[in-house]
Amino acid sequence: RSSDLAVATFIAYETEMLQMLNVWQSGDFSGVLLGRYELLWATGALAAFAYVIADQLTIMGLGESVAANLGLNRDAVLWAGLLIVSLIMSLVVVTVGSIPFIGLVVPNIASRLLGDKLRASLPAVALLGAALVLACDLIGRLIVFPFEIPVATVFGVVGTVLFLLLLRAPQRG
């Protein structure tokens, strides 16, 4: 881990991108400028493809025998889902950086509110995730104005509180 960081720091130093490395490591939007966000269009296309196969992903989540009985090609859907998730995650992390707890908290809140049907919960996950990240970004920009706290730091605190509340909240149904 430390050798990877040393190599990344050396490359960033040689290419005069040391400040951008810090922005990327802390999950901050201040480095997302023209020419650095275009990869997110591919994320939108991948999310649309995930929405198209959402029913198949829901069926696959019911178990191997249910998927086989319903005639679903489990391996193809599994690999498509894994590919979509890994590409979306990598594109977002490359563009913005790592934001803790977002992939853990937001889908669980949407699942609690809307159930396990993926087609119904995907738009809610996208909107709730965007709203929470925007709120944390605004808090980070306003709390110590004119300075900024990285969105990853604010969302780490908010996400921890939300995650603990999710653990303590009783299950519905």
Side-chain angles (χ1 to χ4, degrees), residues 86-138:
S86 62
L87 285 174
I88 287 175
M89 286 300 303
S90 63
L91 290 172
V92 170
V93 168
V94 163
T95 305
V96 177
S98 178
I99 301 175
F101 287 106
I102 191 166
L104 184 64
V105 171
V106 174
N108 282 305
I109 291 173
S111 176
R112 291 265 176 115
L113 295 174
L114 300 171
D116 290 334
K117 189 169 182 184
L118 193 58
R119 186 174 297 277
S121 65
L122 267 178
V125 167
L127 290 173
L128 181 61
L132 281 174
V133 169
L134 179 63
C136 289
D137 188 43
L138 287 174

Side-chain angles (χ1 to χ4, degrees), residues 19 25 61 70 103 120 144-145 150 155 171:
Q19 186 175 4
Q25 286 176 330
L70 291 174
V144 288
F145 184 79
F155 202 94
Q171 290 280 4

Side-chain angles (χ1 to χ4, degrees), residues 28-30 137 140-150:
D28 195 4
F29 289 122
S30 64
D137 188 43
R141 290 174 190 257
L142 296 175
I143 200 164
V144 288
F145 184 79
F147 304 105
E148 286 185 30
I149 299 173

Side-chain angles (χ1 to χ4, degrees), residues 3 11 22-23 38 54 61 68 76 85 91 98 103 105-106 118 123 139 145 161 165 168:
S3 63
I11 292 170
N22 187 31
V23 166
E38 284 77 12
V85 169
L91 290 172
S98 178
V105 171
V106 174
L118 193 58
I139 289 169
F145 184 79
V161 171
L165 289 173
R168 304 224 2 121

